DNA sequence: CATCCGACACACC
DNA sequence: GGTGTGTCGGATG
């Protein structure tokens, strides 16, 4: 068939839809050289006419033609309403497997609507005559063979980001003109809603666009016109000659348009060209929060929390349990249907059908009664996504019921299903709008008309109040709900008082005494309250976002309690989270009374522990039960906490070293090279520190003229403003001078250091003259055996598991990683405490230990010494450097690059070395691991989990 | 007195 | 511009 033949045939045709549709479609297939449905798929399972038609009644199907993964196609008679056909396809899209294209035709026109998820919908209209145009015909051909070719480039996410950025910039300009940011936020939300309402035709005839155009002609009238429009939206009524629906909602309760300039009107007018109906409702929230807060304004238009991340909580907590229930109900319904169809008497049949109806009604009623609470709902995007998920599920159930021949139910899941608590007045306001926009969008996209008068029903879904402390200092009640979701605010324990104020802090302390440690992050109060709600039966489950630090320290207490009174059934332990610029990492935690196997980081596990690690079915290992060991006490220390600029460049220190002092003592006594993490992971920076020790009086310190003058200038002013009496009083000393550490270092000529926060857990030797800064942790031992044990895979694994994180980077914490670590028997810190060390022929240094452990000590020390030497040669190749004696005796030689090797030497850092993982390094570590494994008396073939399990057992046995 | 934390801060490859 | 490491106030035990 040629296009001309097709056109002539169908121009003439006056047949009705029912008689002509299939023939029209078959002709099209011929024209496009495609197989007809029956020829392509005789079973009709993937490509057929009348998909979803109920065979027994011959009733209307979901689509006239359906090709799985391609399109749903609906015909109407000539000049009939194609919009209605489109609405029908939309409504049945879930039953049709969400085809990417929804095509409607009245046999003269063919309209292809794209419906790829997450893209801005597009449409192509083809008239009969267009079929002569090969490029138009190609579109149709793609619909049959390769619908991906029709995927719009613009995603709704991209559209949303673009709109957010543009709108944000515009709002920022308003703020810069001196308008109050809260007023700008409120006004911009009103305008945004107008743009949305216009694009879904709630505001008729492009009314908002025309208003802006008139405004450009009569700038003086703009403010009055806008006031009139917004006022009319608040109450419903006439705007000019146009009838405006009653929108209601507090959004329009307060109308005070800001003065707009011509440029503003032009910008707004350009916004009307965007497709606001396809916008993600969460944009409103993002815009609001960023537009309102001057600190966040720089982020306007930047990233916003990705819906997929939110679904990682909404899915397991809200949707999965309901889906599971629906599956079992559906199974029962299918059995009843089969029984009814097979029934011999109408009475029996009716009885089965009544039961069937009751099951469906029951399921829908359950959905209608379902309540989701977000007690920190912000601008409502969690609630919006929960509502959308519930509506999708309800729709699916309704369609399944219809398929069983039951009468179609009207969807009843609506904003009444979601409850929110939000402290911020405008965010709360906005959350209501966000949820309603989501509702309206969903209804229209699924072919349902909106119920009006008002459009935004006065359901009090969002309460504006504090969720964890009442104004009178008492504990707030949360409404009863089925589940709790949300992303509560994070605020580190020590920042709480400063940001929230003394009264609020005291109230928190009082209300949650014994439940949440006072040093915990603010987010923990939401976790504890959610746990309590579940405990008293006011919720079944909760899914909350938290800082990833909830896995350790005092924050973990709330998870410990959760694991005691209920159960964590789903978690993501450490995920990057969108928060512009900052390296924020979060844990997503779902807990409560939902019977489902636990899933951690998308993998089935046997149990999830409070630190968000898992036990497998073979190895159950809750390392949070590990105890601090006596034999490890007072060996690992954090370096000094200076709290002031006591550090000076090496060259300045050297100048001072040469200067005399009035009391004839050298500055050498108060000047030492400093070591922090960077000195360990990169190269030594040659930074020195003025150190008046732990108890030198000011009267003596001032004899060291230059250093004292320096800190009088640089440190004293700052320290005298410190909140702590002792820091103010002893300003010339380091705030935490670590007397314990200094005592433990006594008589050691070297010690072991490791960076507190570092990508790799490396240990290095430092000459005793070095002073460790707080970001360097030290172990007060000089023997290679201890060094080797710490650098073995045993301690590496343990420290990773037991330590915490600063953002994405592991952090070593003395109490939880070192003091809990069970050293091999006979080689514990208690066993190596004696200073009686012995140097072997190789140069390795072993501690004096009981004779039966001496062989292990030697083997480990040799391997460790070898590792350290290899590493040192790599870090400081003798050919590239000069070793220069320090100007004063008693300091180690300086390592100075030969000029031609300076750049290369700069790259020789421990982090770079471990990034590269050269074979010799891997081998050296393997040798070491073997020696240490022998000391533990275990195989070198153990898996990581097995090593950890053995260490945990050893720890518990010793504790 | 010592340790821990950061909806981070910032220097430097 | 990404990578990697660090400050310092405040709280706890």
């Amino acid at each position: 068939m040629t296009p001309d033949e097709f056109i002539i045939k169908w121009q003439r045709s006056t047949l009705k839809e029912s008689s002509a549709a299939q023939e029209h479609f078959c002709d099209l297939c011929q024209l496009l050289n495609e197989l007809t449905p029956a020829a392509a798929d005789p079973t009709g399972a993937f490509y057929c006419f009348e998909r979803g038609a109920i065979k027994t009644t011959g009733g209307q199907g979901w689509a006239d033609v359906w090709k799985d993964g391609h399109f749903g196609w609906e015909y109407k008679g000539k000049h009939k309403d194609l919009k209605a056909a489109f609405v029908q396809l939309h409504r049945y899209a879930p039953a049709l497997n969400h085809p990417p294209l929804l095509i409607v035709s009245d046999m003269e026109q063919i309209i292809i609507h794209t419906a790829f998820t997450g893209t801005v919908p597009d449409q192509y209209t083809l008239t009969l005559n267009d079929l002569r145009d090969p490029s138009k015909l190609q579109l149709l051909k793609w619909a049959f063979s390769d619908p991906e070719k029709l995927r719009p480039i613009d995603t709704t996410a991209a559209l949303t980001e673009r709109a957010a950025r543009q709108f944000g910039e515009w709002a920022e300009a308003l703020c810069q003109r001196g308008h109050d940011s809260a007023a700008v936020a409120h006004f911009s939300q009103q305008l945004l809603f107008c743009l949305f309402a216009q694009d879904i035709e709630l505001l008729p005839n492009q009314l908002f666009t025309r208003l802006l155009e008139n405004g450009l002609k009569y700038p003086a009238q703009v403010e009055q016109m806008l006031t009139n429009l917004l006022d009319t939206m608040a109450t419903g009524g006439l705007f000019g000659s146009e009838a405006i629906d009653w929108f209601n909602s507090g959004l329009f309760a307060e109308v005070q348009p800001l003065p707009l300039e011509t440029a503003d009107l032009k910008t707004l007018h350009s916004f009307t060209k965007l497709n606001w109906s396809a916008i993600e409702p969460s944009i409103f929230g993002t815009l609001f929060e960023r537009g309102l807060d001057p600190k966040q304004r720089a982020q306007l238009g930047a990233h916003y929390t990705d819906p997929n991340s939110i679904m990682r909580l909404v899915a397991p907590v809200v949707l999965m349990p309901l889906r599971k229930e629906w599956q079992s109900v559906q199974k029962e319904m299918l059995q009843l249907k089969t029984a009814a169809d097979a029934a011999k008497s109408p009475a029996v049949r009716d009885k089965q059908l009544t039961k069937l109806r009751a099951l469906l009604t029951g399921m829908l009623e359950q959905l209608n009664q379902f309540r989701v609470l977000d007690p920190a709902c912000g601008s409502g995007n969690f609630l919006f996504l929960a509502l959308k998920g519930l509506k999708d599920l309800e729709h699916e159930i309704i369609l399944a019921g219809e398929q069983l021949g039951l009468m179609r139910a009207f969807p009843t899941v609506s904003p009444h299903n979601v409850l929110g608590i939000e402290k911020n007045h405008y965010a709360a306001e906005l959350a209501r709008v966000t949820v309603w926009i989501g509702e309206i969008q969903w209804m229209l996209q699924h072919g349902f008309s909106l119920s009006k008068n008002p459009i935004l029903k006065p359901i009090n879904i969002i309460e504006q109040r504090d969720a964890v402390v009442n104004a009178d200092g008492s504990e707030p009640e949360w409404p009863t709900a089925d589940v709790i979701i949300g992303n509560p605010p994070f605020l580190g324990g020590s920042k709480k008082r400063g940001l929230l104020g003394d009264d609020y802090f005291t109230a928190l302390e009082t209300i949650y005494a014994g439940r949440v440690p006072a040093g915990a992050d603010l987010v923990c109060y939401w976790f504890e309250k959610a746990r309590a709600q579940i405990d008293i039966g006011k919720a079944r489950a909760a899914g909350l976002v938290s800082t990833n630090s909830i896995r350790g320290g005092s924050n973990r207490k709330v998870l410990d309690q959760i694991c005691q009174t209920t159960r964590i059934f789903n978690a993501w332990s450490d995920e990057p989270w969108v928060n512009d610029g900052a390296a924020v990492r979060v844990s997503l935690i779902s807990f409560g009374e939902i019977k489902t196997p636990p899933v951690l980081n998308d993998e089935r596990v046997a149990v999830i522990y409070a630190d968000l690690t898992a036990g497998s079915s073979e190895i159950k290992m809750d390392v949070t039960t590990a105890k601090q060991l006596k034999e490890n006490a007072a060996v690992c220390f954090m370096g000094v906490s200076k709290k002031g600029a006591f550090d000076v460049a090496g060259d300045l220190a050297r100048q001072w070293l040469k200067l005399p002092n009035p009391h004839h003592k050298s500055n050498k006594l108060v000047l030492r090279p400093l070591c922090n993490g960077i000195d360990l992971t990169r190269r030594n920076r040659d930074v020195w520190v003025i150190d008046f020790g732990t108890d030198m009086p000011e009267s003596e310190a001032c004899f060291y003229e230059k250093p004292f003058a320096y800190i009088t200038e640089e440190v004293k002013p700052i320290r005298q403003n410190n909140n702590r009496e002792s820091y103010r009083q002893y300003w010339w000393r380091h705030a935490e001078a670590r007397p314990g550490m200094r005592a433990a270092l006594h008589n050691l000529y070297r010690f072991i250091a490791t960076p507190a926060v570092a990508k790799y857990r490396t240990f290095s030797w430092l000459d005793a003259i070095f002073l460790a800064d707080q970001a360097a942790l030290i172990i007060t031992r000089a023997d290679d055996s201890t060094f080797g044990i710490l650098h073995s895979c045993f301690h590496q694994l343990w420290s990773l598991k037991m330590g915490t994180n600063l953002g994405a980077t592991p952090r070593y914490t003395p109490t939880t990683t070192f003091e809990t670590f069970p050293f091999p028997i006979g080689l514990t810190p208690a066993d190596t405490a004696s200073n009686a060390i012995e140097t072997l022929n190789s140069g390795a240094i072993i501690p004096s230990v009981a004779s039966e452990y001496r062989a292990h000590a030697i083997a480990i020390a040799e391997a460790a010494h070898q590792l350290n030497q290899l590493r040192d040669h790599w870090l400081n190749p003798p050919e590239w450097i000069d070793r220069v004696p320090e100007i004063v005796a008693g300091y180690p030689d300086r390592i100075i690059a030969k000029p031609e090797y300076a750049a290369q030497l700069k790259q020789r850092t421990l982090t770079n070395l471990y990034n590269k993982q050269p074979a010799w390094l891997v081998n050296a570590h393997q040798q070491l691991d073997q020696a240490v494994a022998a000391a533990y008396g275990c195989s070198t073939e153990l898996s990581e989990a097995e090593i950890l399990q053995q260490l945990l057992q050893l720890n518990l046995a010793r504790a």
Side-chain angles (χ1 to χ4, degrees), chain A residues 571-602:
Chain A
W572 297 82
S573 59
D574 183 23
E575 295 292 310
W577 193 254
V578 174
N579 203 288
D580 195 58
V584 178
R585 316 254 328 170
V586 300
S587 301
L588 306 169
I589 307 168
S590 303
F591 56 96
E593 302 301 311
I594 286 179
K595 287 183 178 50
T596 178
V599 173
L600 177 68
N601 301 324
D602 214 18

Short mmCIF file of all heavy atoms in Angstrom, two decimals, chain A residues 571-602:
data_model
loop_
_atom_site.label_atom_id
_atom_site.label_comp_id
_atom_site.label_asym_id
_atom_site.label_seq_id
_atom_site.Cartn_x
_atom_site.Cartn_y
_atom_site.Cartn_z
N ALA A 571 18.64 -1.12 55.42
CA ALA A 571 19.53 0.02 55.66
C ALA A 571 20.53 0.17 54.52
O ALA A 571 20.89 -0.79 53.86
CB ALA A 571 20.27 -0.15 56.98
N TRP A 572 20.92 1.42 54.33
CA TRP A 572 22.05 1.77 53.47
C TRP A 572 23.03 2.43 54.42
O TRP A 572 22.73 3.46 55.01
CB TRP A 572 21.62 2.72 52.35
CG TRP A 572 20.62 2.12 51.43
CD1 TRP A 572 19.27 2.02 51.63
CD2 TRP A 572 20.88 1.50 50.16
NE1 TRP A 572 18.69 1.39 50.56
CE2 TRP A 572 19.64 1.05 49.65
CE3 TRP A 572 22.05 1.28 49.42
CZ2 TRP A 572 19.53 0.41 48.42
CZ3 TRP A 572 21.94 0.65 48.20
CH2 TRP A 572 20.69 0.21 47.71
N SER A 573 24.19 1.83 54.59
CA SER A 573 25.02 2.27 55.71
C SER A 573 25.78 3.56 55.43
O SER A 573 25.98 4.36 56.32
CB SER A 573 25.99 1.16 56.11
OG SER A 573 26.80 0.82 55.01
N ASP A 574 26.18 3.79 54.21
CA ASP A 574 27.03 4.95 53.95
C ASP A 574 26.88 5.38 52.51
O ASP A 574 27.53 4.85 51.62
CB ASP A 574 28.49 4.58 54.26
CG ASP A 574 29.43 5.76 54.09
OD1 ASP A 574 28.95 6.91 54.18
OD2 ASP A 574 30.63 5.53 53.87
N GLU A 575 26.02 6.35 52.29
CA GLU A 575 25.72 6.78 50.93
C GLU A 575 26.03 8.26 50.76
O GLU A 575 25.82 9.06 51.68
CB GLU A 575 24.22 6.59 50.66
CG GLU A 575 23.77 5.14 50.67
CD GLU A 575 24.35 4.39 49.50
OE1 GLU A 575 24.24 4.85 48.36
OE2 GLU A 575 24.94 3.32 49.74
N PRO A 576 26.54 8.63 49.59
CA PRO A 576 26.69 10.07 49.35
C PRO A 576 25.31 10.71 49.29
O PRO A 576 24.35 10.07 48.87
CB PRO A 576 27.38 10.13 47.99
CG PRO A 576 27.11 8.82 47.35
CD PRO A 576 26.91 7.82 48.43
N TRP A 577 25.22 11.91 49.73
CA TRP A 577 23.91 12.58 49.75
C TRP A 577 24.06 13.95 49.14
O TRP A 577 25.10 14.60 49.32
CB TRP A 577 23.41 12.69 51.20
CG TRP A 577 21.97 13.05 51.35
CD1 TRP A 577 21.48 14.26 51.74
CD2 TRP A 577 20.84 12.20 51.17
NE1 TRP A 577 20.11 14.21 51.81
CE2 TRP A 577 19.69 12.97 51.46
CE3 TRP A 577 20.68 10.88 50.78
CZ2 TRP A 577 18.40 12.45 51.38
CZ3 TRP A 577 19.39 10.37 50.69
CH2 TRP A 577 18.28 11.15 50.99
N VAL A 578 23.07 14.36 48.44
CA VAL A 578 23.16 15.64 47.76
C VAL A 578 23.07 16.78 48.75
O VAL A 578 22.08 16.94 49.44
CB VAL A 578 22.04 15.76 46.71
CG1 VAL A 578 22.05 17.15 46.11
CG2 VAL A 578 22.23 14.71 45.66
N ASN A 579 24.11 17.52 48.87
CA ASN A 579 24.08 18.73 49.68
C ASN A 579 25.22 19.55 49.16
O ASN A 579 26.35 19.37 49.54
CB ASN A 579 24.24 18.40 51.15
CG ASN A 579 23.66 19.51 51.98
OD1 ASN A 579 24.22 20.59 52.07
ND2 ASN A 579 22.52 19.26 52.56
N ASP A 580 24.88 20.44 48.29
CA ASP A 580 25.84 21.13 47.45
C ASP A 580 27.17 21.43 48.12
O ASP A 580 27.24 22.06 49.15
CB ASP A 580 25.21 22.44 46.97
CG ASP A 580 26.00 23.01 45.81
OD1 ASP A 580 26.13 22.30 44.81
OD2 ASP A 580 26.49 24.13 45.94
N GLY A 581 28.24 20.95 47.52
CA GLY A 581 29.56 21.33 48.00
C GLY A 581 30.09 20.42 49.09
O GLY A 581 31.13 19.81 48.94
N ALA A 582 29.36 20.30 50.18
CA ALA A 582 29.88 19.53 51.31
C ALA A 582 29.87 18.04 50.99
O ALA A 582 29.00 17.53 50.31
CB ALA A 582 29.05 19.80 52.54
N ALA A 583 30.90 17.36 51.50
CA ALA A 583 30.99 15.93 51.30
C ALA A 583 30.13 15.23 52.34
O ALA A 583 30.61 14.63 53.27
CB ALA A 583 32.44 15.48 51.42
N VAL A 584 28.83 15.35 52.18
CA VAL A 584 27.91 14.79 53.16
C VAL A 584 27.63 13.33 52.84
O VAL A 584 27.39 12.98 51.69
CB VAL A 584 26.59 15.57 53.16
CG1 VAL A 584 25.61 14.97 54.13
CG2 VAL A 584 26.84 17.01 53.49
N ARG A 585 27.72 12.50 53.84
CA ARG A 585 27.37 11.09 53.67
C ARG A 585 26.31 10.74 54.69
O ARG A 585 26.31 11.25 55.80
CB ARG A 585 28.60 10.19 53.90
CG ARG A 585 29.86 10.69 53.26
CD ARG A 585 30.33 9.99 52.05
NE ARG A 585 30.09 8.60 51.91
CZ ARG A 585 30.32 7.98 50.73
NH1 ARG A 585 30.74 8.68 49.70
NH2 ARG A 585 30.14 6.70 50.63
N VAL A 586 25.41 9.88 54.28
CA VAL A 586 24.29 9.55 55.18
C VAL A 586 24.10 8.05 55.30
O VAL A 586 24.61 7.27 54.49
CB VAL A 586 22.97 10.16 54.67
CG1 VAL A 586 23.05 11.66 54.59
CG2 VAL A 586 22.57 9.55 53.33
N SER A 587 23.36 7.68 56.32
CA SER A 587 22.84 6.33 56.44
C SER A 587 21.32 6.42 56.27
O SER A 587 20.70 7.36 56.77
CB SER A 587 23.15 5.74 57.81
OG SER A 587 24.54 5.72 58.03
N LEU A 588 20.75 5.45 55.57
CA LEU A 588 19.30 5.38 55.42
C LEU A 588 18.85 4.15 56.20
O LEU A 588 19.30 3.05 55.90
CB LEU A 588 18.91 5.25 53.95
CG LEU A 588 19.49 6.32 53.02
CD1 LEU A 588 19.27 5.95 51.57
CD2 LEU A 588 18.85 7.65 53.32
N ILE A 589 17.98 4.36 57.17
CA ILE A 589 17.67 3.26 58.09
C ILE A 589 16.17 3.05 58.21
O ILE A 589 15.43 3.97 58.54
CB ILE A 589 18.26 3.56 59.48
CG1 ILE A 589 19.76 3.89 59.35
CG2 ILE A 589 18.04 2.39 60.43
CD1 ILE A 589 20.37 4.47 60.59
N SER A 590 15.73 1.82 57.92
CA SER A 590 14.32 1.46 58.09
C SER A 590 14.21 0.45 59.21
O SER A 590 14.91 -0.56 59.20
CB SER A 590 13.77 0.86 56.80
OG SER A 590 13.92 1.77 55.74
N PHE A 591 13.33 0.71 60.16
CA PHE A 591 13.19 -0.21 61.29
C PHE A 591 11.74 -0.30 61.72
O PHE A 591 10.93 0.55 61.38
CB PHE A 591 14.08 0.25 62.46
CG PHE A 591 13.82 1.66 62.93
CD1 PHE A 591 12.98 1.91 64.01
CD2 PHE A 591 14.42 2.74 62.31
CE1 PHE A 591 12.75 3.20 64.46
CE2 PHE A 591 14.19 4.04 62.75
CZ PHE A 591 13.35 4.26 63.81
N GLY A 592 11.44 -1.35 62.46
CA GLY A 592 10.08 -1.49 62.96
C GLY A 592 9.56 -2.90 62.81
O GLY A 592 10.31 -3.84 62.55
N GLU A 593 8.24 -3.00 62.97
CA GLU A 593 7.60 -4.31 63.04
C GLU A 593 7.11 -4.76 61.67
O GLU A 593 5.92 -4.93 61.46
CB GLU A 593 6.43 -4.26 64.04
CG GLU A 593 6.86 -3.82 65.44
CD GLU A 593 7.90 -4.74 66.03
OE1 GLU A 593 7.70 -5.97 65.98
OE2 GLU A 593 8.95 -4.23 66.50
N ILE A 594 8.03 -4.91 60.76
CA ILE A 594 7.63 -5.40 59.44
C ILE A 594 8.35 -6.70 59.18
O ILE A 594 9.57 -6.78 59.30
CB ILE A 594 7.92 -4.34 58.36
CG1 ILE A 594 6.89 -3.23 58.50
CG2 ILE A 594 7.86 -4.96 56.97
CD1 ILE A 594 7.05 -2.10 57.55
N LYS A 595 7.56 -7.72 58.89
CA LYS A 595 8.16 -9.04 58.75
C LYS A 595 8.72 -9.22 57.35
O LYS A 595 8.00 -9.51 56.42
CB LYS A 595 7.12 -10.11 59.07
CG LYS A 595 6.84 -10.16 60.55
CD LYS A 595 5.88 -11.24 60.95
CE LYS A 595 5.72 -11.22 62.47
NZ LYS A 595 5.42 -9.85 62.98
N THR A 596 10.02 -9.01 57.25
CA THR A 596 10.67 -9.17 55.96
C THR A 596 12.14 -9.45 56.26
O THR A 596 12.66 -8.98 57.26
CB THR A 596 10.50 -7.89 55.11
OG1 THR A 596 11.17 -8.04 53.89
CG2 THR A 596 11.04 -6.67 55.82
N PRO A 597 12.79 -10.25 55.43
CA PRO A 597 14.21 -10.53 55.70
C PRO A 597 15.03 -9.25 55.60
O PRO A 597 14.75 -8.42 54.74
CB PRO A 597 14.60 -11.50 54.58
CG PRO A 597 13.34 -11.90 53.91
CD PRO A 597 12.31 -10.89 54.21
N PRO A 598 16.01 -9.09 56.47
CA PRO A 598 16.79 -7.85 56.46
C PRO A 598 17.63 -7.68 55.20
O PRO A 598 18.18 -8.65 54.68
CB PRO A 598 17.68 -7.96 57.69
CG PRO A 598 17.58 -9.33 58.18
CD PRO A 598 16.40 -9.99 57.55
N VAL A 599 17.69 -6.47 54.73
CA VAL A 599 18.48 -6.14 53.53
C VAL A 599 19.40 -4.97 53.87
O VAL A 599 18.94 -3.93 54.32
CB VAL A 599 17.54 -5.76 52.36
CG1 VAL A 599 18.36 -5.25 51.18
CG2 VAL A 599 16.68 -6.93 51.95
N LEU A 600 20.69 -5.19 53.69
CA LEU A 600 21.67 -4.14 53.96
C LEU A 600 22.39 -3.79 52.67
O LEU A 600 22.95 -4.68 52.02
CB LEU A 600 22.67 -4.60 55.02
CG LEU A 600 23.79 -3.61 55.35
CD1 LEU A 600 23.23 -2.39 56.06
CD2 LEU A 600 24.86 -4.27 56.21
N ASN A 601 22.39 -2.54 52.30
CA ASN A 601 23.03 -2.08 51.07
C ASN A 601 22.60 -2.92 49.87
O ASN A 601 23.41 -3.33 49.06
CB ASN A 601 24.56 -2.10 51.21
CG ASN A 601 25.02 -1.23 52.36
OD1 ASN A 601 24.43 -0.19 52.61
ND2 ASN A 601 26.04 -1.67 53.06
N ASP A 602 21.30 -3.21 49.85
CA ASP A 602 20.70 -3.94 48.74
C ASP A 602 21.07 -5.43 48.71
O ASP A 602 20.90 -6.07 47.68
CB ASP A 602 21.07 -3.28 47.39
CG ASP A 602 19.94 -3.42 46.39
OD1 ASP A 602 18.80 -3.69 46.82
OD2 ASP A 602 20.19 -3.26 45.18
#
